[in-house]
Amino acid sequence: MTKELYNLGEMPPLGVIPPKMHAWLIRPERFGKPMEAFQKEVVNTPPIADDEVLVYVMAAGINYNNVWAGLGIPVNVIGARNKAGEPEDFHIGGSDASGIVYKVGKDVTNVKVGDEVVMHCGQYSRNCEWVKSGGDPMYSPTFRIWGYETNWGSFAQFTKVQGQQCMPKPRHMNWEEAASYTLVAATAWRMLHGWGANAVKKGDVALIWGGAGGLGSMAIQIAKAAGATSVAMVSGEDKFDYCMKLGAKGCINRNEFDHWGMLPHWKDNVGYSKWLKGVRSFGAKIWEVLGEKRAPNIVFEHPGETTIPTSIFVCDTGGMVVVCAGTTGYNATVDLRYLWMRQKRLQGSHFANTEQSNQMNELALRGLLDPCMSRAFTYDEIPVAHQLMHDNKHPHGNMSVLVGATAFGLGAHGKPPVAIEHPMLPKGDVHNTPHPYPMSTPLPGIGEGEALTITDDGTKVKDLMHRGIISCTPTDTIGTVAKIMVNKEIHAVVVMDEKGKAIGVVSQTDMVLARQGRTPDQARALRANEVMTPGCATCDAEMLLSDAVSLMTGRRMHRLVVTEKDQPVGVISMTDVVRKIIGE
Ligand code: NAP
């Protein structure tokens, strides 16, 4: 008779599924820091569908997504699933694993009971029309990250996965190593190989951000296997050796430069020139590392806001900046001139499909991909490992935990086909960057947008606007415009052509930018049409104030020309809105 429950590490006979299993659970009532959110419980072992597999978990990989799942932000993953019709009021996380197949659904053909496997974390419905028609499952509305957006992840004795998620375990890796690499390596594979003409190829140069991090360490190895040369970006020279051992030709310490962050305004001659100087010296450093004057064909991006302007600038003509995250922020600024004139591509990328995950795994099977496991923990330490992540005190590289495996270092059978030296990260190397956003946060869809309730007091533009337009001609000098501004105590002047049509606005910001890099006399002599922000955003006097505010902020403008029957009659400005807020 099958035992009701096996102790942890006490392996049930192959193919025997006990009705109950040990697992680490997150429940909504204890959402919070990992040490509180995760608790050990015993639950029913889940049944499987025809296309699914039950895997006895030997080790599980740790990823940031389950720190977020435990916090319950930005998404309550349990609530979201309950809303979609799934009954369980708990979450078993874990999006990386190694283990042994214990049961297969009747439609599963790629694995059988007893197979040693690793699993990628991409789930989707095989009944999705898009998938059935041969479309990339990554674009399917049914796509979910297993163990984050789905339940029954790898922090349990058994995990429920789709057959297509299972891939052969590299024989030379022990259980914890095999559990640590798939999520980051498959993501890096799609980024580098998934984008048609821009896929990495022999002879290419790849610039890899965060070369000693989870994604970067995989990217260096994948680029090397393709015959490309990579330059690794890191935050200290103590990480150079690590990246070089993985196959980077050379490294750059990003702390030697200070031009990071959003682009200065393109009209800001001084700020832009300084930025250009910084980014050019960074480009020269790439040449120095390469030993030749070549620009990267591929830039492997994930820091986002602080690095995208540089990535776009240094990327070769016809090259690609491929991005899978915005760890430092999402408002990436792009100087479009470099994008279109040099015909570069800015490509978003997210995880990987089944085919790409298996292509990546081929490298691991052949011994050409070091899993870069920095630290393994015991089953009892699952909350500790996540707490270290939460507190940003975890080591770089990939981490995993033992589940069914009874000791560290078990499960390896023989030597890798190709021997690679495992690089060591500098002692005491821990994360010191802001918390990355969960790798898969469902974005609100159009339907969800409609459900939002918007409160509005019905104020219209005509209730707050200033009647009358203070204007100048296109050929008026900036000196004249400045006098108008000062005398009338206003922040902008509308530029009207000879037919009385508003063709632009000279704002205080335009004036200040005109002064940058010029003498006061030179600035004063400029004409209004040379410095104005061309085009004139208008709104009807009957427009709701809230809509006018959206128009202004969306276009980064501080004022709108107000029209009645298409004729300019006044101006509404941010100052007017601020006055209303303070009740003036
Ligand atoms: P990681 O191990 O923390 O590595 C990130 C690296 O970025 C760090 O090693 C750090 O290296 C570098 N970095 C930090 N701040 C930086 C800055 N201001 N400028 C330049 N580089 C900076 O994380 P990871 O596992 O590689 O993941 C990176 C991001 O990708 C995370 O946001 C993660 O959530 C996301 N991700 C997305 C997917 C997806 O499918 N969309 C999949 C996996 C991961 P140095 O300090 O040495 O420069």
Side-chain angles (χ1 to χ4, degrees):
M1 220 189 75
T2 310
K3 266 172 67 168
E4 176 85 351
L5 174 71
Y6 283 78
N7 290 329
L8 205 80
E10 183 194 357
M11 203 170 185
L14 191 62
V16 171
I17 315 289
K20 298 212 173 280
M21 63 176 190
H22 291 281
W24 278 99
L25 265 65
I26 292 168
R27 289 185 179 275
E29 52 272 27
R30 50 180 188 248
F31 274 156
K33 290 182 182 170
M35 291 303 279
E36 290 124 42
F38 284 92
Q39 278 188 28
K40 279 197 275 191
E41 293 192 32
V42 170
V43 292
N44 290 338
T45 311
I48 55 166
D50 292 345
D51 61 339
E52 290 178 335
V53 171
L54 204 61
V55 176
Y56 181 71
V57 180
M58 298 303 282
I62 305 280
N63 292 292
Y64 219 105
N65 55 9
N66 274 284
V67 173
W68 296 107
L71 290 168
I73 55 164
V75 179
N76 171 348
V77 288
I78 302 164
R81 285 201 294 266
N82 293 159
K83 213 169 137 194
E86 290 185 32
E88 293 89 21
D89 56 356
F90 59 82
H91 170 72
I92 300 178
S95 306
D96 258 320
S98 60
I100 301 167
V101 174
Y102 260 55
K103 188 177 180 181
V104 295
K106 72 174 176 50
D107 297 344
V108 174
T109 54
N110 62 323
V111 286
K112 57 182 188 319
V113 171
D115 284 355
E116 294 187 356
V117 290
V118 292
M119 283 142 276
H120 73 76
C121 63
Q123 285 198 355
Y124 50 87
S125 166
R126 59 178 173 161
N127 298 320
C128 164
E129 287 304 323
W130 167 258
V131 174
K132 280 203 285 189
S133 69
D136 185 343
M138 288 304 304
Y139 303 153
S140 164
T142 66
F143 182 85
R144 302 276 180 277
I145 297 290
W146 156 69
Y148 175 60
E149 288 166 286
T150 80
N151 209 342
W152 312 112
S154 55
F155 302 148
Q157 280 177 305
F158 289 94
T159 182
K160 184 172 77 136
V161 294
Q162 295 175 337
Q164 58 83 18
Q165 287 178 257
C166 297
M167 310 185 293
K169 167 188 167 288
R171 287 174 56 79
H172 60 276
M173 288 188 199
N174 60 38
W175 292 115
E176 58 272 26
E177 285 170 340
S180 69
Y181 67 90
T182 303
L183 189 149
V184 275
T187 305
W189 182 275
R190 182 179 175 92
M191 289 173 76
L192 291 170
H193 280 287
W195 303 107
N198 287 100
V200 70
K201 53 193 174 304
K202 192 165 183 227
D204 274 357
V205 170
L207 180 70
I208 314 279
W209 286 100
L215 285 173
S217 57
M218 298 297 125
I220 292 173
Q221 300 182 77
I222 292 167
K224 183 183 174 199
T229 304
S230 53
V231 175
M233 293 302 304
V234 283
S235 56
E237 287 185 17
D238 52 347
K239 295 182 194 166
F240 281 16
D241 185 50
Y242 183 80
C243 296
M244 309 275 273
K245 282 202 172 121
L246 288 173
K249 166 141 193 188
C251 301
I252 299 176
N253 179 357
R254 64 182 164 93
N255 287 329
E256 283 176 14
F257 301 86
D258 61 3
H259 64 285
W260 311 119
M262 290 170 89
L263 273 175
H265 197 289
W266 55 271
K267 287 185 186 172
D268 179 353
N269 292 335
V270 173
Y272 201 90
S273 302
K274 275 190 188 151
W275 178 81
L276 214 51
K277 204 169 160 211
V279 78
R280 282 199 174 127
S281 67
F282 176 71
K285 186 74 187 180
I286 297 177
W287 292 347
E288 186 190 313
V289 168
L290 288 171
E292 55 179 329
K293 287 189 172 179
R294 285 192 58 193
N297 309 86
I298 289 200
V299 182
F300 185 89
E301 251 288 347
H302 47 91
E305 189 168 296
T306 64
T307 50
I308 283 274
T310 300
S311 296
I312 302 262
F313 183 88
V314 298
C315 179
D316 198 12
T317 301
M320 171 177 71
V321 176
V322 58
V323 58
C324 75
T327 313
T328 63
Y330 312 121
N331 279 356
T333 39
V334 174
D335 186 331
L336 287 174
R337 290 169 294 185
Y338 293 99
L339 202 73
W340 92 68
M341 288 302 290
R342 308 264 161 87
Q343 302 180 69
K344 303 177 186 190
R345 173 175 180 177
L346 175 57
Q347 177 66 54
S349 193
H350 181 49
F351 190 57
N353 59 34
T354 315
E355 193 185 354
Q356 290 162 336
S357 298
N358 277 281
Q359 286 166 343
M360 172 284 293
N361 203 45
E362 269 301 310
L363 269 196
L365 292 169
R366 282 159 49 204
L368 293 172
L369 192 90
D370 189 297
C372 293
M373 194 196 66
S374 54
R375 185 161 166 197
F377 298 80
T378 63
Y379 181 74
D380 282 343
E381 290 173 325
I382 283 182
V384 179
H386 285 92
Q387 188 67 42
L388 284 174
M389 270 195 157
H390 175 274
D391 300 341
N392 235 6
K393 291 182 178 148
H394 56 301
H396 275 98
N398 299 313
M399 298 191 292
S400 52
V401 292
L402 302 185
V403 182
T406 49
F408 296 113
L410 302 178
H413 319 286
K415 294 211 175 314
V418 181
I420 43 176
E421 189 188 345
H422 179 66
M424 294 304 289
L425 274 166
K427 226 175 154 23
D429 181 69
V430 292
H431 282 242
N432 53 13
T433 52
H435 292 170
Y437 208 59
M439 88 165 206
S440 174
T441 307
L443 298 172
I446 293 166
E448 286 159 72
E450 278 167 4
L452 282 176
T453 329
I454 297 162
T455 315
D456 187 64
D457 67 357
T459 307
K460 293 197 169 168
V461 167
K462 66 178 181 193
D463 302 330
L464 280 190
M465 64 183 269
H466 277 81
R467 289 211 168 253
I469 299 225
I470 298 167
S471 65
C472 66
T473 70
T475 50
D476 276 342
T477 63
I478 291 305
T480 309
V481 179
K483 276 190 196 130
I484 298 175
M485 274 186 192
V486 173
N487 292 340
K488 304 274 182 185
E489 293 183 338
I490 52 168
H491 298 227
V493 175
V494 178
V495 185
M496 300 270 226
D497 65 11
E498 61 284 0
K499 292 184 189 133
K501 191 171 171 252
I503 58 164
V505 174
V506 179
S507 67
Q508 284 187 330
T509 309
D510 292 321
M511 306 272 265
V512 172
L513 289 173
R515 194 241 169 267
Q516 289 290 81
R518 296 188 180 92
T519 65
D521 280 344
Q522 285 171 331
R524 268 195 294 271
L526 286 167
R527 307 277 164 188
N529 60 0
E530 292 174 286
V531 301
M532 68 182 191
T533 300
C536 201
T538 59
C539 67
D540 194 273
E542 287 298 320
M543 186 185 256
L544 274 177
L545 182 63
S546 51
D547 289 345
V549 167
S550 301
L551 203 59
M552 281 192 269
T553 51
R555 296 197 188 181
R556 311 277 194 277
M557 286 175 164
H558 289 215
R559 62 200 57 76
L560 299 169
V561 170
V562 184
T563 55
E564 280 173 352
K565 297 198 178 96
D566 286 331
Q567 287 304 309
V569 290
V571 172
I572 179 112
S573 71
M574 292 281 202
T575 316
D576 300 325
V577 182
V578 173
R579 285 213 179 100
K580 181 171 167 63
I581 293 169
I582 58 172
E584 224 178 276

